[in-house]
Amino acid sequence: MSNRITKDENSTSAPLLPNGLLAAYPLEVAQKIAVDICYKLQPFCEKINIAGSVRRGTPEVKDIEIVCVPKMVVGGQDSLFDEGTRFYMVSPDFVRTVTELGAIIKGKPTGKYMQISLPEGINLDLFIPDDFDYYRQYAIRTGSANYAAKVIASSWRKMGWCGSDKGLRKMSDCVESKTPDGKSKWKCVNPNAELPPAWESEEHFFQWLGIK
């Protein structure tokens, strides 16, 4: 039996999309879908957490957001005289499991972000940050867009940091440009740029920002 849910099967007042599916899903339904995805991915991840509106407990959920760090494995082969072509790569089991979740809209399992259309009729936003940047990403992907921009990002800007193409870096190590809609875009140009702390928890990240 399909898990796709239509308005007739729920008491929610969320509007329908043109395909007859809900524009937003009841929290308890979205929670179950998110937990099932985490169980599938967890064996192949160093860290994985549900974020976004499901974590915030929003009654109606428009999409599922998950943050994870996949396990790395050694690829390539040793040669007789040296270490050959050995290298680290994302676990093939993680890649396979992610690609089996649904129809990929954006991104790839070896990248930093994927959007996947799930069989249940709701989209998954899968964020795949570097391990050292995990708890920053977990925090900003949990909070509403308004909170992430006006509280979290505002706090690190006051400390002289910016979100760059390399992660959080000092503004003095970056150059700023503007997107067509007027938003700031930062590029790190200093190969020896100062790095932020390797936060050990979400609480540690908020303490560093001075947010209580």
Side-chain angles (χ1 to χ4, degrees), residues 136 139-161 168 202 205-212:
R136 180 179 77 98
I140 63 178
R141 302 306 173 188
T142 292
S144 65
N146 186 60
Y147 182 85
K150 294 187 176 181
V151 179
I152 297 178
S154 176
S155 295
W156 72 51
R157 284 196 298 270
K158 290 177 182 177
M159 299 166 62
W161 296 83
L168 208 60
E202 191 178 40
F205 172 66
F206 279 113
Q207 288 175 344
W208 179 76
L209 289 176
I211 299 175
K212 297 180 179 181

Side-chain angles (χ1 to χ4, degrees), residues 22-209:
L22 292 176
Y25 277 50
L27 175 60
E28 61 272 18
V29 175
Q31 282 177 326
K32 182 181 184 306
I33 296 171
V35 169
D36 286 346
I37 292 171
C38 285
Y39 274 125
K40 291 178 181 178
L41 296 180
Q42 191 170 32
F44 317 118
C45 291
E46 298 291 348
K47 300 183 181 79
I48 186 167
N49 290 96
I50 298 168
S53 53
V54 172
R55 186 187 181 199
R56 296 197 306 273
T58 304
E60 294 181 348
V61 177
K62 294 182 179 180
D63 49 35
I64 292 171
E65 296 177 65
I66 291 176
V67 186
C68 69
V69 174
K71 290 182 178 179
M72 306 297 286
V73 299
V74 177
Q77 296 180 338
D78 290 332
S79 72
L80 180 62
F81 300 103
D82 56 38
E83 293 188 1
T85 58
R86 295 181 67 187
F87 56 88
Y88 284 96
M89 64 181 186
V90 174
S91 163
D93 290 322
F94 175 82
V95 173
R96 172 183 53 79
T97 305
V98 168
T99 55
E100 291 174 352
L101 291 176
I104 297 174
I105 301 172
K106 296 178 183 177
K108 55 185 179 180
T110 55
K112 299 299 183 186
Y113 169 74
M114 293 185 72
Q115 187 177 59
I116 300 172
S117 177
L118 301 173
E120 295 85 356
I122 190 170
N123 284 350
L124 165 66
D125 288 326
L126 184 65
F127 300 95
I128 314 171
D130 292 312
D131 186 58
F132 64 82
D133 200 33
Y134 183 81
Y135 290 106
R136 180 179 77 98
Q137 290 292 332
Y138 185 33
I140 63 178
R141 302 306 173 188
T142 292
S144 65
N146 186 60
Y147 182 85
K150 294 187 176 181
V151 179
I152 297 178
S154 176
S155 295
W156 72 51
R157 284 196 298 270
K158 290 177 182 177
M159 299 166 62
W161 296 83
C162 62
S164 78
D165 58 324
K166 302 295 185 182
L168 208 60
R169 294 292 185 272
K170 283 285 191 178
M171 291 180 179
S172 56
D173 291 323
C174 301
V175 293
E176 182 184 14
S177 61
K178 294 293 184 179
T179 62
D181 57 357
K183 294 182 180 179
S184 293
K185 183 177 181 180
W186 294 87
K187 181 177 181 180
C188 183
V189 293
N190 182 356
N192 299 310
E194 180 181 348
L195 300 178
W199 302 288
E200 298 177 358
S201 66
E202 191 178 40
E203 181 181 12
H204 184 201
F205 172 66
F206 279 113
Q207 288 175 344
W208 179 76
L209 289 176

